[in-house]
Amino acid sequence: MFKTKEEFKYEFSKRIIETYGRTVEESHITEKFMILENMVRDYASVNWAMTKMSVQQHEQKQVHYFSMEFLMGRLLVNNMMNLGIYDIAKEGLADYGINIHELEELESDAGLGNGGLGRLAACFMDSLASLSYPAFGHTIRYTYGFFEQKIEDGYQVEVPDQWLRLGNAWEVRKPKHQCDVKFFGHVVWNGDKQKWEHVDAELVRAVPYDVPIVGADTKVTNTLRLWKSEPADDIPRNKDFRQYTQEVNDITQTLYPDDSTPAGKMLRLKQQYFFVAAGLNSIVRAHLRVYPDLHNFADKNVIQLNDTHPVLVIPELMRILIDDYEFEWDEAWDIVTHTCAYTNHTILAEALEKWPIEMMKNLLPRIYQIIEEIHRRFIGYVKIASNGDEQLLNRVMILRDGQVHMARLAIAGSFSVNGVAALHTDILKNREMQDFDRIFPGKFNNKTNGVTHRRWLAYCNPQLADLLHEAIGDSWIKHPDDLEKLKKFADDSIIRSKFLNVKYQRKEDLARYIKEHNGIEVDVNSIFDIQVKRLHAYKRQLLNIMHVIYLYQRMKEDPSFRIYPHTYIFGAKAAPSYYFAKKVIKLINAVADVVNNDPVTNQYLKVVFIENYGVTIAEHIIPAADVSEQISTAGKEASGTSNMKFMMNGAVTLGTLDGANVEIAERVGDENCVIFGMKVEDINKLKADNSYHAWDYYNNDFRIKKVVDSLTDGTFASSREEFKLIFDELMSHNDEYYLLADFDSYVKAQEKINELYKDRDNWAKMCIMNIAMSGYFSSDRTIEDYVKDIWHLERVANK
Ligand code: 26V
């Protein structure tokens, strides 16, 4: 493989000629791009093969991260950087007159996820490889990733994400690892063999596509295995072939963008079982290539279940052990419950998965039978532990009211259950899952989320990375805690002004993007106040835009009231059928139209909605932020991870005491963040006393009244009906997420930001302190915590 620029150039031109029969100069830009990708993949392949061999030879334990989502983003730059070949490639290409950035722009995001949960999985894969731990990711190879968002007339329009259009150079199809997955049919008792058999099943072929996960500054290269559905050889006789192939293709066609409706439930259950069954089949076969049997399965494999989506791993592994390898129930259960660990990512009741028993029985008859038996035994166990407390039994039953409760199955079948931030775990243990914490003392634990500081600082913000190198060296890349060395420069006026300069450059870059994509001219000297995340009522983008409306109204009314110039920037995708969320997007755009075009206010206030928020766009947006909006209703955001990315890039958190904000605030101290709003206890009290009345806030605070009235008085829409849904959510449904209750406190927090920002020098200090304290939020730390407490892995030997 190439080690120098000259070798790179030779290899590049040779491949272009061999593949396309043209010279570098004659080749098309997409050809150059694809050759570069292929070269990087082949470069990684050597380490990839070595890693697999080493793990086998040393009989190492591996973690298998099962997740319906991996929001990988682009891989080209990340892989070149991690391999340490970026500069060679960049300079080699420059010699041919090729700007590497132009090639980078041709790569599609692998957007195989909805938001935080999927991006977390991607960060974990990067940290695992970079820390040299053996790991496998399992997921679905969706033909279409998370939809592409277009904004038309202020409304969100969804367009399919055809991410595989130019092919995917990173994946390698591995038919040798394929298997068939069984759906439908029924279960019969085979008296001769003394076991249950699943007969008349419909088969679907699962074919894996492996993607190398390149660690940084290590030879370790792990695997992300993407499963694709295809017709099996043995096709169903009772079904038309076209219908069969259609149904087969549907399984891995689309990622569910909809975390809000029950639509397509059956298909989603099919997706879940499909990748779980295929993934487990490949793990078991790999195990048996190295060891004589499955008795040591739990010693060599740990399976982390990313939320309840892959929880069918529990009954499926039971099925494999009992039906295919003749284990007794107790022995099998012992293996399963020493192999599986479950991460919970939300306490929102509506997000906790349940499947209708009838559906499960029909689609997965043998799996359902096993779940029934798990349920029966679990009830027996709880009865003994509960001293006949019937109520308790009802609260924890896996099968209840015609449904399978997946989180309960997950807790029963896992040796570890973790939350994703201290507050979240606390709420799980002491409230939402209190019964389970009592039944299984010690099973619950916390693993505060993290993000890879390589992608989210070193690579996406080279200007800041350079400044850090200059100030504190580069040990922080290997040891993110070393960012703390920056603390002693927080008072250094040169570093402060250099930091402000970096921030300015990044704001200029984002301002250019906004000009190009939105046609809006923004003031680079204004405060860039940014909220980017999925659109959901609990995240309260509405509170943010209501505050903007308030500022606008006040400045219009009172010429003596002027704010420090602000640019409020939003980015958010709404689930296609989530009408409220879509209305909030329309409202943000409608407010932007009015405010940005009003000459009285527009040198003070601008609003920008950036279309199609995703990983790559985030890499441009986050480094440009002055203020990071993290304003969810306390108790609702399990962790949040953009809060960590913003912090790393030197933005000040404006947030509630929710999720990981609590830990951010703890680390940076009150003087380096702005916290506002009700705390979890305050909200619990309001709920317990039933004492929250949105109308009281409306009637008693003229600012609130004015803002709320503007939703239906035609200020922001020609039709008074346009935002009626939002009005109703606040006023008729008693403001479920307490926006009005937090409004005053939010206004004050925003005023505080204004004041703090005016003192540029101190502001720089605050930002520097945030960067300095952000090492804890590297996913390297999170992974080390998982390794120590849950996975118990050793590093790969040939790292
Ligand atoms: C699911 C649903 C489904 C029904 C309607 C409303 C709703 C709202 C949220 C969700 C989220 C499902 C799980 C999830 O994505 N959780 C996110 O996980 C991140 C990584 O741990 C964490 O940072 C976020 O706070 C958490 O929301």
Side-chain angles (χ1 to χ4, degrees):
M1 271 299 156
F2 54 91
K3 291 206 171 51
T4 63
K5 184 178 80 171
E6 293 313 320
E7 283 170 10
F8 170 85
K9 284 169 63 180
Y10 173 76
E11 177 81 22
F12 185 73
S13 112
K14 178 164 169 280
R15 286 192 185 217
I16 293 223
I17 290 165
E18 283 172 359
T19 314
Y20 299 111
R22 298 160 183 253
T23 62
V24 172
E25 290 74 22
E26 286 164 349
S27 65
H28 190 260
I29 183 162
T30 54
E31 293 171 339
K32 295 178 179 113
F33 161 68
M34 287 190 276
I35 290 295
L36 179 63
E37 274 196 325
N38 280 310
M39 279 172 73
V40 176
R41 193 204 55 219
D42 291 351
Y43 194 103
S45 291
V46 180
N47 291 342
W48 200 9
M50 296 287 284
T51 305
K52 282 179 211 160
M53 265 163 40
S54 176
V55 173
Q56 275 196 10
Q57 266 168 14
H58 294 86
E59 303 193 351
Q60 278 190 269
K61 186 180 188 183
Q62 296 191 66
V63 62
H64 301 276
Y65 202 82
F66 273 72
S67 176
M68 288 277 279
E69 305 187 11
F70 280 85
L71 200 42
M72 302 299 286
R74 287 178 176 162
L75 292 176
L76 180 61
V77 174
N78 187 77
N79 287 351
M80 286 193 289
M81 291 282 194
N82 279 6
L83 288 166
I85 56 173
Y86 185 81
D87 289 335
I88 291 177
K90 185 178 165 186
E91 285 157 24
L93 291 168
D95 282 0
Y96 285 122
I98 304 165
N99 178 350
I100 195 168
H101 300 311
E102 282 174 22
L103 302 191
E104 289 164 23
E105 288 305 314
L106 294 177
E107 188 177 5
S108 308
D109 270 33
L112 309 184
N114 274 290
L117 173 144
R119 183 55 231 175
L120 184 77
C123 285
F124 280 8
M125 291 310 286
D126 181 68
S127 286
L128 277 160
S130 299
L131 295 168
S132 302
Y133 290 118
F136 236 93
H138 288 268
T139 191
I140 291 173
R141 183 180 180 275
Y142 300 101
T143 312
Y144 305 105
F146 195 24
F147 69 82
E148 195 185 315
Q149 179 194 54
K150 299 241 181 268
I151 300 295
E152 288 177 8
D153 189 26
Y155 296 102
Q156 166 176 301
V157 175
E158 301 96 32
V159 179
D161 163 44
Q162 302 188 50
W163 71 292
L164 292 169
R165 232 179 324 220
L166 282 184
N168 177 9
W170 306 116
E171 65 184 17
V172 184
R173 184 180 162 98
K174 293 277 176 74
K176 67 176 173 182
H177 296 308
Q178 70 196 15
C179 65
D180 288 342
V181 177
K182 289 182 180 175
F183 293 105
F184 303 109
H186 50 273
V187 179
V188 291
W189 177 251
N190 182 330
D192 291 344
K193 294 189 184 158
Q194 284 292 296
K195 63 196 230 180
W196 292 101
E197 276 172 4
H198 185 176
V199 296
D200 299 332
E202 200 174 294
L203 300 184
V204 176
R205 172 73 42 89
V207 185
Y209 287 68
D210 286 358
V211 174
I213 301 293
V214 175
D217 196 22
T218 168
K219 289 186 183 141
V220 171
T221 301
N222 288 324
T223 303
L224 173 60
R225 183 159 279 180
L226 313 170
W227 290 97
K228 176 172 186 274
S229 56
E230 294 185 5
D233 292 337
D234 196 358
I235 57 169
R237 303 285 145 83
N238 58 348
K239 217 175 234 177
D240 172 56
F241 184 65
R242 276 169 67 101
Q243 189 192 341
Y244 168 68
T245 50
Q246 180 67 51
E247 285 170 11
V248 165
N249 293 340
D250 280 351
I251 297 178
T252 56
Q253 183 174 272
T254 24
L255 166 87
Y256 272 75
D258 218 326
D259 24 38
S260 67
T261 64
K265 263 202 158 234
M266 170 83 119
L267 184 52
R268 180 148 166 107
L269 184 59
K270 257 188 174 174
Q271 289 191 325
Q272 296 189 348
Y273 183 66
F274 173 77
F275 97 102
V276 157
L280 273 177
N281 180 290
S282 77
I283 296 169
V284 166
R285 282 198 285 172
H287 185 91
L288 293 174
R289 281 197 290 275
V290 183
Y291 309 100
D293 57 47
L294 296 173
H295 284 94
N296 64 342
F297 190 80
D299 301 332
K300 300 297 172 188
N301 299 284
V302 54
I303 296 178
Q304 191 68 39
L305 306 169
N306 198 26
D307 217 292
T308 51
H309 320 146
V311 162
L312 291 173
V313 160
I314 293 166
E316 173 65 6
L317 186 53
M318 287 298 286
R319 189 199 64 73
I320 293 172
L321 292 166
I322 294 170
D323 295 358
D324 299 348
Y325 294 94
E326 276 134 38
F327 278 75
E328 295 295 328
W329 181 279
D330 287 336
E331 223 181 345
W333 186 243
D334 191 61
I335 293 175
V336 169
T337 53
H338 284 86
T339 301
C340 296
Y342 155 62
T343 306
N344 174 285
H345 294 268
T346 183
I347 54 156
L348 293 182
E350 65 271 36
L352 292 180
E353 276 192 307
K354 298 177 208 68
W355 294 106
I357 287 178
E358 284 311 312
M359 188 191 287
M360 182 98 76
K361 232 186 207 168
N362 177 27
L363 185 70
L364 309 167
R366 178 63 180 137
I367 292 301
Y368 177 69
Q369 204 180 25
I370 290 170
I371 294 175
E372 246 180 0
E373 183 61 12
I374 295 173
H375 166 81
R376 199 181 65 78
R377 290 171 183 244
F378 179 60
I379 290 293
Y381 178 80
V382 177
K383 269 193 181 143
I384 299 167
S386 70
N387 295 321
D389 177 350
E390 281 292 318
Q391 289 301 318
L392 171 71
L393 214 55
N394 281 332
R395 290 196 301 267
V396 301
M397 284 200 296
I398 295 169
L399 301 179
R400 172 114 201 254
D401 300 333
Q403 294 186 305
V404 187
H405 289 245
M406 300 307 275
R408 299 175 187 175
L409 176 60
I411 301 168
S414 300
F415 66 88
S416 158
V417 177
N418 75 280
V420 290
L423 176 70
H424 169 59
T425 303
D426 197 54
I427 294 172
L428 287 180
K429 284 174 73 166
N430 299 316
R431 239 188 32 224
E432 300 301 317
M433 294 181 171
Q434 193 186 49
D435 294 323
F436 289 95
D437 187 42
R438 287 210 194 118
I439 296 168
F440 300 115
K443 205 182 257 201
F444 283 74
N445 62 91
N446 177 245
K447 295 287 165 284
T448 297
N449 283 166
V451 302
T452 166
H453 63 289
R454 285 166 292 275
R455 181 180 290 262
W456 294 110
L457 169 56
Y459 307 158
C460 79
N461 198 345
Q463 299 86 344
L464 182 55
D466 284 348
L467 174 59
L468 293 173
H469 289 166
E470 186 188 322
I472 58 170
D474 55 12
S475 67
W476 58 272
I477 297 197
K478 274 265 174 217
H479 307 285
D481 273 340
D482 281 357
L483 285 168
E484 269 198 55
K485 291 180 187 168
L486 198 63
K487 260 166 104 175
K488 67 170 189 282
F489 292 95
D491 290 315
D492 181 321
S493 60
I494 296 176
I495 296 296
R496 284 180 182 183
S497 80
K498 284 190 174 172
F499 168 78
L500 291 176
N501 193 278
V502 165
K503 187 58 84 181
Y504 191 85
Q505 283 179 48
R506 295 308 306 233
K507 287 168 76 173
E508 274 186 320
D509 177 61
L510 182 59
R512 261 194 304 277
Y513 183 92
I514 290 170
K515 175 78 187 138
E516 199 182 315
H517 291 83
N518 297 60
I520 301 171
E521 201 85 58
V522 300
D523 173 5
V524 183
N525 289 307
S526 66
I527 299 175
F528 279 23
D529 178 307
I530 308 189
Q531 186 174 20
V532 281
K533 47 183 80 253
R534 280 301 292 272
L535 213 139
H536 198 284
Y538 83 80
K539 295 179 189 278
R540 302 200 295 192
Q541 284 94 347
L542 179 58
L543 176 61
N544 188 342
I545 198 67
M546 283 171 69
H547 173 256
V548 172
I549 296 175
Y550 153 73
L551 291 176
Y552 175 65
Q553 290 175 335
R554 227 184 126 186
M555 285 198 286
K556 287 288 276 184
E557 229 168 48
D558 176 1
S560 70
F561 175 79
R562 289 297 175 257
I563 56 170
Y564 194 97
H566 254 88
T567 305
Y568 286 97
I569 298 169
F570 295 83
K573 288 182 185 175
S577 60
Y578 191 175
Y579 297 109
F580 170 81
K582 289 179 132 176
K583 278 290 178 199
V584 174
I585 292 178
K586 172 67 180 169
L587 178 64
I588 294 168
N589 285 311
V591 172
D593 265 353
V594 172
V595 167
N596 297 345
N597 295 309
D598 191 326
V600 176
T601 59
N602 69 7
Q603 60 278 45
Y604 300 100
L605 188 57
K606 286 267 167 73
V607 178
V608 178
F609 187 95
I610 295 178
E611 180 176 79
N612 202 32
Y613 179 66
V615 175
T616 297
I617 295 173
E619 291 166 14
H620 291 282
I621 297 176
I622 291 171
D626 295 309
V627 176
S628 154
E629 293 265 359
Q630 307 297 338
I631 61 176
S632 51
T633 313
K636 297 290 183 189
E637 189 70 272
S639 161
T641 40
S642 76
N643 44 4
M644 303 168 183
K645 296 168 197 164
F646 280 109
M647 176 192 193
M648 262 176 202
N649 283 278
V652 172
T653 303
L654 166 53
T656 47
L657 282 178
D658 198 17
N661 299 351
V662 176
E663 290 157 83
I664 290 178
E666 239 167 52
R667 280 184 169 70
V668 299
D670 288 348
E671 67 284 13
N672 295 311
C673 59
V674 178
I675 297 298
F676 77 98
M678 290 193 289
K679 301 181 184 46
V680 176
E681 307 82 77
D682 304 326
I683 290 176
N684 287 345
K685 194 163 174 338
L686 276 186
K687 276 193 189 145
D689 311 344
N690 216 351
S691 60
Y692 182 60
H693 306 293
W695 281 106
D696 290 348
Y697 286 88
Y698 177 93
N699 290 321
N700 297 332
D701 187 332
F702 67 95
R703 301 167 304 179
I704 291 179
K705 180 173 186 313
K706 235 179 142 232
V707 170
V708 171
D709 286 348
S710 76
L711 297 173
T712 51
D713 70 3
T715 313
F716 300 110
S718 45
S719 152
R720 284 160 193 257
E721 289 300 304
E722 180 74 272
F723 300 119
K724 182 77 169 41
L725 185 68
I726 299 179
F727 178 90
D728 285 344
E729 200 60 40
L730 293 171
M731 304 316 307
S732 313
H733 302 141
N734 201 30
D735 182 21
E736 190 182 342
Y737 296 101
Y738 304 96
L739 279 69
L740 306 190
D742 275 347
F743 187 83
D744 175 62
S745 156
Y746 186 52
V747 170
K748 291 193 171 105
Q750 288 273 359
E751 285 165 356
K752 189 166 170 195
I753 292 280
N754 267 279
E755 287 315 304
L756 288 165
Y757 195 84
K758 283 181 193 158
D759 181 352
R760 306 294 294 121
D761 212 34
N762 186 58
W763 183 267
K765 175 185 179 166
M766 292 172 70
C767 299
I768 291 168
M769 285 301 292
N770 270 274
I771 301 166
M773 302 312 289
S774 69
Y776 181 79
F777 300 102
S778 163
S779 44
D780 287 8
R781 187 272 312 151
T782 314
I783 288 301
E784 291 291 13
D785 287 351
Y786 274 91
V787 167
K788 181 163 53 65
D789 299 341
I790 305 176
W791 300 337
H792 309 294
L793 306 171
E794 303 290 339
R795 289 177 208 277
V796 178
N798 74 325
K799 61 185 163 45

